[in-house]
Amino acid sequence: MNGRAYSLPFKDPTVYTTFDQALSYCYAKGNGWHLMSNAEWAAIALWCKKNNFMPRGNNNYGADISAAYEKGKATYLSGSTVYRVATGSGPVGWAHDNTNEGIFDLNGNIWEWVSGMRLNEGEIQIIENNNAAILNTDHSAGSAAWKAMLQDGTLMAPGTADTLKVDNTTAGDSTATSHDVGGDITINTVVQNQMYIPGGQVDYSYSITTLETVAAAAGVTIPTLLKALGLFPLDASHGGDNFYARNYGERLPVRGGFWAYGSGAGVFALDLYRPRTYSSSSVGFRSAFVSL
């Protein structure tokens, strides 16, 4: 409202918002307010895993795919088919801690932009120390705030040799349509298999796997930081949540899944195949606050 982001219950979530718009709406609220960061989202997801409760949500047209009796209040539908539901309108099982005081809708409803992380030509880049929470932190494509990561977790300038990258087990192709190129996402120090051979800022070939099956390439060590950011599994149990990626062009993250994502949605679901200019009826955001 009035160019500022609000988190209000029983509202249709705001969608058709680009990454940069979402940033500006959150920073417009003042010091401490920001677009929820990937680091913060991952911290909540890991808290849920540690406490043995994975929240459910609107991932099956108004209901949860594993509990069809759990529904939210429809706010966007076509005929009798429900898409979006009102924020916080689901049962307590849709909150991160299974209580009415919890954080709702982290599983499904809409994908949500998160700040402080991106892929750039396959290289994993972050803004260190959750500095994305600092007012007006520069997230532009050429920002000096972006840092790449070595195998020991040391942060370096983008383009430094042997930084961690998203790779694939199958070679890419040159088919100019959006499609799964096959194979599995891996973490490597080089991009051996670019998913779309010509590369560029286009939305064609991608790869998809579950987060829990993402593996390290032979000889590559995964730092704790990458796991803490929800970019690599701790073990083989992360709810079967999906991980999409395109390792060419610049890709900004959305989290959680949406109303039609089924069992692939969840607190660990991650989509790294959209450009910052992407906008749709299934992509929105949420603001967060820290005391600075």
Side-chain angles (χ1 to χ4, degrees):
M1 294 185 290
N2 300 319
R4 294 186 179 93
Y6 292 88
S7 293
L8 300 173
F10 293 90
K11 300 290 185 181
D12 187 34
T14 296
V15 291
Y16 289 112
T17 305
T18 68
F19 176 79
D20 290 316
Q21 287 173 329
L23 275 178
S24 67
Y25 296 152
C26 296
Y27 284 144
K29 297 189 72 171
N31 194 41
W33 290 99
H34 59 283
L35 175 63
M36 185 177 183
S37 71
N38 179 71
E40 291 162 347
W41 185 292
I44 295 167
L46 291 167
W47 186 96
C48 292
K49 177 176 170 58
K50 181 178 179 179
N51 286 276
N52 299 310
F53 181 73
M54 295 293 193
R56 299 178 293 278
N58 172 23
N59 52 45
N60 191 33
Y61 298 96
D64 183 86
I65 195 165
S66 65
Y69 54 88
E70 293 188 352
K71 299 180 179 180
K73 174 66 176 176
T75 54
Y76 175 62
L77 63 167
S78 177
S80 60
T81 302
V82 176
Y83 299 143
R84 296 192 301 268
V85 301
T87 53
S89 66
V92 294
W94 291 17
H96 87 287
D97 62 355
N98 202 27
T99 77
N100 278 322
E101 289 70 43
I103 305 166
F104 277 75
D105 304 323
L106 296 169
N107 179 334
N109 208 22
I110 57 170
W111 285 107
E112 299 183 31
W113 293 113
V114 290
S115 63
M117 185 264 157
R118 69 172 181 175
L119 282 188
N120 197 31
E121 303 299 342
E123 185 177 60
I124 298 168
Q125 297 178 4
I126 67 170
I127 295 177
E128 63 184 325
N129 298 327
N130 202 37
N131 285 346
I134 297 174
L135 187 63
N136 296 326
T137 294
D138 186 3
H139 282 73
S140 65
S143 171
W146 294 115
K147 302 296 181 183
M149 188 185 309
L150 296 176
Q151 294 179 69
D152 64 359
T154 301
L155 299 183
M156 304 294 291
T160 300
D162 297 324
T163 56
L164 296 177
K165 301 170 180 71
V166 167
D167 199 14
N168 202 43
T169 58
T170 297
D173 62 37
S174 59
T175 304
T177 61
S178 180
H179 65 286
D180 182 1
V181 74
D184 293 311
I185 293 170
T186 60
I187 304 300
N188 206 343
T189 55
V190 293
V191 176
Q192 292 180 326
N193 291 313
Q194 185 171 284
M195 295 163 191
Y196 179 59
I197 299 302
Q201 194 62 60
V202 291
D203 297 338
Y204 297 142
S205 309
Y206 60 84
S207 186
I208 178 175
T209 186
T210 59
L211 178 65
E212 57 215 35
T213 57
V214 173
V220 174
T221 299
I222 301 298
T224 299
L225 178 58
L226 202 68
K227 299 175 184 179
L229 293 172
L231 303 175
F232 195 85
L234 296 177
D235 53 34
S237 178
H238 287 73
D241 297 352
N242 282 343
F243 184 172
Y244 278 86
R246 288 185 170 109
N247 60 359
Y248 54 96
E250 184 197 40
R251 308 294 165 183
L252 281 297
V254 291
R255 285 279 192 178
F258 76 117
W259 65 74
Y261 212 51
S263 60
V267 289
F268 285 102
L270 173 61
D271 178 334
L272 278 168
Y273 80 161
R274 299 295 188 188
R276 65 175 60 228
T277 55
Y278 185 72
S279 173
S280 87
S281 63
S282 62
V283 175
F285 68 101
R286 76 175 70 206
S287 60
F289 177 79
V290 294
S291 182
L292 296 174

